[in-house]
Amino acid sequence: MYIPYGKQSISEEDIQAVVDVLRSDYITTGPKVEEFEKKVADYVGAKYAVAIANGTAALHGACFAVGIKEGDEVITTPITFAASANCALYCGAKPVFADINPDTYNIDVCDLERKITDKTKAIVAVDYTGQPCELDEIRKVAEKYNLTVIEDGAHALGADYRGKKVGSISHMTTFSFHPVKHITTGEGGMITTDDESLYKRLLLFRSHGITRDNAMMTRNEGDWYYQQLALGYNYRITDIQCALGISQMNRLDAFIERRRKLVSRYNSAFKNVKGVKIPYMQEGCNSSWHLYVIQVEDRKDVFCKLRSAGIGVNVHYIPVYKHPYYEKNGYDKVVCTNAEEFYKHIISLPLYPDLTEEMQDYVIDKVIQFAGR
Ligand SMILES: *Cc1c(COP(=O)(O)O)cnc(C)c1O
């Protein structure tokens, strides 16, 4: 038996939705793309949504929409997947790392403000594990310095922050539909926004910078005519994927409910165990629980023992600037003390809707056996 840390849940309806598209006229750039966009936009409470090839392309698109370019700086957290910082590099800009808050594990708003220079253009705020950042405070800082907030909500589809859903709060919010995330399209992503001009830039970005929108073109030579207005990419998503996404969206609330149930079982099992620190839960937020991250004293030892016991634990994340690509490109002297201390102790335990209570009890037993003091 091997229990992974995360895994998709695919139902017969999900499969049927994909099969139906395969039998239809459009397998890409068809009606399922807009239907999926509308479904996510309505769910999170945003005006616009753009479905895209993956969560990384969503972040790249958000930077493109802001107009991030060479010489600019983008501030993010080191405790994230590399894509949250790479998106700045794709645009020729420099990612700058602000330390995490040791309580919430999200970007520390004071350090964020300290890292702002006259080159800073945007903040990539990551809702780590599904717990929203201090979004109101971040927005206040952004307004003070005229910055755009790009929220990396890859972990946080369905999370609430002070009564609002993630995806309706920041200038733009990006999502990922990789199989370990809340819903999956195989590969896929989405950007939500309330800003029409950002929305139009995102549409250009997704499809070669090309438009057929009369209002955007400099002239119109006839019904065949279109114009390339910017250097975009082919980052489109297929109708096959979007049909799966629509079907998965119908199950999202049930997925999150199941994740919350499993988290409360973990929390009550570990709360009195010395040697196991359970995740912090911020007031006013309702995490959607992409990851369940505990802290232990001897991480390497506990990690190896859990892996040998058939439990696919993981570490989220190695501080981004510690990767050799970053080290050799000028980040070798960067130190974020809280992030580095946090990294030393973290382990992500299995958490996904189809994890059974029997499997979870096995994980709990082994964690207490290997990490308990
Ligand atoms: C998964 C993830 C991404 C990237 O999404 P992909 O769909 O895999 O490209 C970006 N940021 C974070 C925090 C993620 O967890």
Side-chain angles (χ1 to χ4, degrees):
M1 183 180 61
Y2 183 79
I3 307 173
Y5 86 89
K7 194 185 169 198
Q8 72 279 12
S9 168
I10 302 292
S11 68
E12 280 310 312
E13 281 104 86
D14 292 338
I15 293 168
Q16 196 53 51
V18 171
V19 171
D20 289 347
V21 167
L22 289 171
R23 296 191 199 284
S24 77
D25 290 337
Y26 292 97
I27 58 173
T28 191
T29 325
K32 291 295 168 192
V33 180
E34 271 181 42
E35 192 184 330
F36 184 36
E37 289 172 340
K38 182 158 184 351
K39 193 136 185 145
V40 174
D42 288 349
Y43 180 88
V44 303
K47 267 198 194 147
Y48 306 103
V50 177
I52 200 159
N54 53 65
T56 304
L59 285 162
H60 185 185
C63 288
F64 173 94
V66 178
I68 304 285
K69 57 182 191 316
E70 206 177 322
D72 293 342
E73 293 178 359
V74 175
I75 302 177
T76 192
T77 168
I79 299 295
T80 185
F81 185 57
S84 316
N86 290 346
C87 59
L89 293 173
Y90 295 153
C91 298
K94 182 182 168 196
V96 172
F97 295 98
D99 206 348
I100 59 165
N101 175 320
D103 293 326
T104 65
Y105 324 137
N106 277 327
I107 196 163
D108 180 87
V109 183
C110 295
D111 199 41
L112 162 62
E113 187 163 3
R114 274 196 292 273
K115 296 282 161 67
I116 293 172
T117 71
D118 52 9
K119 294 176 178 166
T120 310
K121 290 286 151 50
I123 300 160
V124 175
V126 182
D127 302 317
Y128 173 71
T129 72
Q131 178 150 256
C133 297
E134 291 165 81
L135 295 169
D136 285 345
E137 288 75 10
I138 290 172
R139 182 65 172 244
K140 245 180 251 153
V141 170
E143 274 163 14
K144 184 167 159 195
Y145 297 92
N146 198 22
L147 311 178
T148 304
V149 182
I150 300 168
E151 187 178 346
D152 182 344
H155 296 188
L157 181 61
D160 308 301
Y161 173 80
R162 298 185 179 162
K164 286 168 111 182
K165 278 245 157 25
V166 163
S168 67
I169 303 161
S170 300
H171 295 106
M172 283 178 279
T173 306
T174 65
F175 296 102
S176 163
F177 309 126
H178 180 276
V180 297
K181 306 288 165 66
H182 291 90
I183 64 161
T184 192
T185 57
E187 298 282 354
M190 188 91 67
I191 308 108
T192 60
T193 184
D194 281 346
D195 183 316
E196 190 184 0
S197 67
L198 291 173
Y199 170 65
K200 287 190 167 166
R201 291 274 297 164
L202 291 167
L203 292 179
L204 285 180
F205 172 82
R206 176 175 64 183
S207 202
H208 310 280
I210 286 174
T211 187
R212 290 175 180 276
D213 180 351
N214 216 11
M216 289 172 78
M217 292 199 286
T218 58
R219 60 181 185 279
N220 193 341
E221 299 179 1
D223 283 350
W224 69 89
Y225 197 62
Y226 59 84
Q227 283 186 336
Q228 184 191 338
L229 300 176
L231 184 61
Y233 298 80
N234 178 357
Y235 275 160
R236 292 188 302 261
I237 183 169
T238 65
D239 281 56
I240 306 166
Q241 292 165 298
C242 290
L244 179 56
I246 293 161
S247 184
Q248 289 259 302
M249 277 302 287
N250 294 332
R251 306 175 61 206
L252 175 59
D253 283 336
F255 286 159
I256 292 171
E257 198 180 311
R258 177 68 187 156
R259 285 174 178 272
R260 287 183 178 144
K261 171 92 196 296
L262 291 165
V263 165
S264 77
R265 289 186 91 248
Y266 271 141
N267 280 342
S268 32
F270 297 140
K271 71 171 186 277
N272 295 318
V273 178
K274 268 213 185 78
V276 178
K277 186 174 174 198
I278 63 174
Y280 174 88
M281 303 221 245
Q282 198 172 357
E283 252 181 81
C285 293
N286 204 356
S287 174
S288 55
W289 291 106
H290 164 54
L291 295 173
Y292 187 80
V293 177
I294 56 164
Q295 293 176 68
V296 298
E297 277 160 42
D298 189 347
R299 192 263 311 281
K300 193 170 190 175
D301 177 66
V302 176
F303 181 94
C304 291
K305 285 176 176 161
L306 288 169
R307 277 281 176 98
S308 309
I311 301 167
V313 285
N314 234 301
V315 173
H316 299 96
Y317 293 94
I318 303 156
V320 174
Y321 59 80
K322 288 290 192 186
H323 287 291
Y325 180 82
Y326 278 86
E327 284 185 332
K328 69 175 191 253
N329 281 291
Y331 290 81
D332 52 320
K333 302 250 157 37
V334 173
V335 181
C336 293
T337 319
N338 298 336
E340 293 186 22
E341 182 58 26
F342 181 63
Y343 165 63
K344 276 188 203 157
H345 298 286
I346 49 178
I347 296 185
S348 306
L349 300 184
L351 183 64
Y352 50 93
D354 293 347
L355 182 71
T356 65
E357 297 187 359
E358 292 70 37
M359 287 152 91
Q360 189 187 26
D361 287 340
Y362 173 76
V363 174
I364 289 168
D365 274 355
K366 292 296 166 193
V367 168
I368 293 173
Q369 184 186 334
F370 300 142
R373 292 273 166 271

